Amino acid sequence: MTTYADPVPGGRAGDGDRAQALAEDLAANGVHGVVLSWVDTCGVNRVKTVPVARLASAARWGVGMSPVFDLFLADDSIVTGDLQGGPDGDLRLVPDLDHVVPLAGQPGWAWAPVDRMRQDGTMHPGCSRTILRRLVGAAREQGIELKASIEIEFALGRGDVPYPAFEPACVGSSYGMTRLVEQTDFCADALEALAAEGVDVDQIHPEYAAGQYEVSVGALDPVGAADRSVLVRQTLRAVAQRHGLRISFSPSVLEAGVGNGGHLHLSAWRDGANLHSTGDGRYAMTAEGEAFAAGVLDALPALAAVTTPSPASYLRLQPSHWAGVYACWGHETRESALRIVTGMVGNTGRAANIEVKCADLAANPYLLVGGAVAAGLDGVARGLTLPDEISGDPAGLDPVQAEKAGVRRLPTSLAEAVEAFAASPLPAAAFGDLVVDAVLAVRRGEAARVAGLDAAAVAEAYRWVY
Ligand code: GLU
Ligand code: MG
């Protein structure tokens, strides 16, 4: 469980002793180093590491890191924002002791997500994990608890082909037993590693696209869910490497066909009751649950720069590719950006949630979840209701029907997503001006980087980044 309290300089009462005991325990179990993990604006998981003996010091005083990482592009070039950039300044990476996990795919290492603090002891306003913690805190103040989970789709490529080519590591049918047999050791070892890390896996299965598989995991509190998304991907990567495989979470590993999604499941609860299953509205939604869903739906175009942040995201976002490219909602409709999941009769209280289908794994998971939480709370504050639901594939609607049904196509390019993001007041309210500035600078930088490249070159440029 996430503590949801900010770190303080020198550590909170007991942190030093706790970290010391934890470090001794880790060392006794063969851990030599601790990975301090955060995710940058462009969705890359960046790290610093410390020997296990330094964990207590890191928990009390953090480890230094430049704020310029907020302006990194996916190719490690650096842009400048209106409010930030350049070589000045230092931040402290403070590991969250509640989430230290020995890495089962990387013996000798443990992992800890960090919050980023300034040297004056205040939190860095660009720290996406802190921002998510604050948004969840705002929900709690209104009596709303949230649960989240991010699905993880990935492609397995053969490790023995020259970089950056992709050769799928299986040839069996989509969802086929053959494909499971082909990667039976990888899949079994992935399950073993994730279980050892305390990750409750819901499913692992072969997916649709070339070399594609999926892991879905149990829901947690929002910060825990975002942490878990990072941990699971790096664990799968490490297991894949041990099997001579290369793994890609890129939205579009190949320029055509179905891509890798990172669907976000989110549910809001009040007094222990699921607001998506205990009302008398459509599909048993409560008025508040519907307002929450309506707020998320309303904000999806503006949040595209966060949910689908890479130039490769827009190769994936094609109609009739199960990626949910239309801002509309439906009950169990896989072509709407917002899918209302009710679950099986008898289990709806546990299972009902909303699924943001358009999201992918290039997204910084803290901003992805935070944006959806902020949008949902905004919907509750405004008492929004959902428009008519959609069934079937909205791609079949002609423009007049689509307009009548209120179906909008989500941004079709990163440049369009940036415009929608900049035009909406929601991002600044949710994330603050510094993150908005970083997102705008980084997305514009990525868009400029790929200007003139064809789809194959874009897919190749981002293939092994995520
Ligand atoms: N791979 C699809 C995507 O790009 C999703 C497939 C599914 O619904 O599982 O989001
Ligand atoms: Mg899937």
Side-chain angles (χ1 to χ4, degrees), residues 296-391:
V296 173
L297 176 59
D298 190 51
L300 286 180
L303 289 175
V306 165
T307 54
T308 46
S310 167
S313 301
Y314 297 85
L315 301 175
R316 164 181 171 259
L317 286 179
Q318 301 298 329
S320 311
H321 279 55
W322 297 346
V325 304
Y326 294 98
C328 56
W329 73 280
H331 176 226
E332 305 290 6
T333 306
R334 287 177 169 75
E335 288 296 344
S336 59
L338 193 73
R339 170 181 167 214
I340 299 291
V341 180
T342 47
M344 178 97 181
V345 63
N347 193 32
T348 55
R350 195 193 69 85
N353 67 84
I354 60 174
E355 179 185 24
V356 178
K357 290 250 350 167
C358 50
D360 68 43
L361 297 171
N364 172 316
Y366 304 96
L367 296 182
L368 166 66
V369 182
V373 168
L377 294 179
D378 181 53
V380 171
R382 291 195 284 149
L384 293 185
T385 54
L386 285 167
D388 289 343
E389 71 178 297
I390 294 297
S391 60

Side-chain angles (χ1 to χ4, degrees), residues 181-217:
V181 173
E182 287 176 281
Q183 290 302 335
T184 187
D185 289 343
F186 165 81
C187 291
D189 287 355
L191 286 177
E192 183 184 358
L194 292 169
E197 291 172 352
V199 176
D200 55 316
V201 171
D202 278 348
Q203 295 177 30
I204 180 167
H205 62 267
E207 260 278 354
Y208 189 80
Q212 196 180 33
Y213 295 79
E214 172 175 331
V215 168
S216 51
V217 295

Side-chain angles (χ1 to χ4, degrees), residues 100-460:
V100 178
V101 180
L103 287 172
Q106 291 171 261
W109 291 97
W111 177 90
V114 301
D115 293 302
R116 296 186 296 160
M117 194 191 274
R118 296 193 287 206
Q119 283 175 319
D120 67 5
T122 60
M123 298 312 294
H124 172 44
C127 175
S128 54
R129 192 170 187 270
T130 300
I131 287 167
L132 176 55
R133 214 172 45 237
R134 299 253 155 92
L135 288 163
V136 173
R140 282 188 175 163
E141 274 170 25
Q142 303 172 32
I144 295 178
E145 291 288 333
L146 298 152
K147 287 189 191 171
S149 174
I150 299 171
E151 291 181 24
I152 296 178
E153 293 185 337
F154 56 95
L156 286 181
R158 288 173 40 173
D160 57 354
V161 297
Y163 177 87
F166 170 74
E167 283 286 339
C170 56
V171 296
S173 304
S174 305
Y175 303 92
M177 182 63 188
T178 303
R179 197 181 279 202
L180 182 64
V181 173
E182 287 176 281
Q183 290 302 335
T184 187
D185 289 343
F186 165 81
C187 291
D189 287 355
L191 286 177
E192 183 184 358
L194 292 169
E197 291 172 352
V199 176
D200 55 316
V201 171
D202 278 348
Q203 295 177 30
I204 180 167
H205 62 267
E207 260 278 354
Y208 189 80
Q212 196 180 33
Y213 295 79
E214 172 175 331
V215 168
S216 51
V217 295
L220 292 175
D221 66 279
V223 173
D227 287 343
R228 178 174 267 191
S229 171
V230 180
L231 173 67
V232 170
R233 278 181 271 166
Q234 299 305 13
T235 300
L236 293 172
R237 190 188 308 282
V239 174
Q241 184 167 302
R242 286 170 165 262
H243 287 275
L245 301 166
R246 215 174 272 157
I247 196 165
S248 174
F249 303 96
S250 173
S252 192
V253 180
L254 297 170
E255 68 273 23
V258 168
N260 288 324
H263 309 169
L264 167 64
H265 291 264
L266 194 58
S267 56
W269 301 65
R270 183 179 285 286
D271 301 327
N274 186 335
L275 296 177
H276 309 281
S277 71
T278 52
D280 48 18
R282 285 173 281 183
Y283 302 109
M285 282 184 266
T286 62
E288 222 174 14
E290 175 169 344
F292 190 90
V296 173
L297 176 59
D298 190 51
L300 286 180
L303 289 175
V306 165
T307 54
T308 46
S310 167
S313 301
Y314 297 85
L315 301 175
R316 164 181 171 259
L317 286 179
Q318 301 298 329
S320 311
H321 279 55
W322 297 346
V325 304
Y326 294 98
C328 56
W329 73 280
H331 176 226
E332 305 290 6
T333 306
R334 287 177 169 75
E335 288 296 344
S336 59
L338 193 73
R339 170 181 167 214
I340 299 291
V341 180
T342 47
M344 178 97 181
V345 63
N347 193 32
T348 55
R350 195 193 69 85
N353 67 84
I354 60 174
E355 179 185 24
V356 178
K357 290 250 350 167
C358 50
D360 68 43
L361 297 171
N364 172 316
Y366 304 96
L367 296 182
L368 166 66
V369 182
V373 168
L377 294 179
D378 181 53
V380 171
R382 291 195 284 149
L384 293 185
T385 54
L386 285 167
D388 289 343
E389 71 178 297
I390 294 297
S391 60
D393 189 348
L397 300 174
D398 66 39
V400 179
Q401 289 171 313
E403 164 105 34
K404 214 167 139 229
V407 174
R408 294 167 293 167
R409 177 83 200 260
L410 289 172
T412 57
S413 67
L414 192 51
E416 244 185 74
V418 166
E419 267 178 48
F421 183 85
S424 166
L426 184 83
F431 307 132
D433 292 340
L434 203 65
V435 168
V436 168
D437 179 64
V439 167
L440 290 174
V442 167
R443 302 297 179 262
R444 286 177 178 143
E446 296 292 355
R449 206 187 132 202
V450 299
L453 294 187
D454 65 15
V458 172
E460 187 175 284

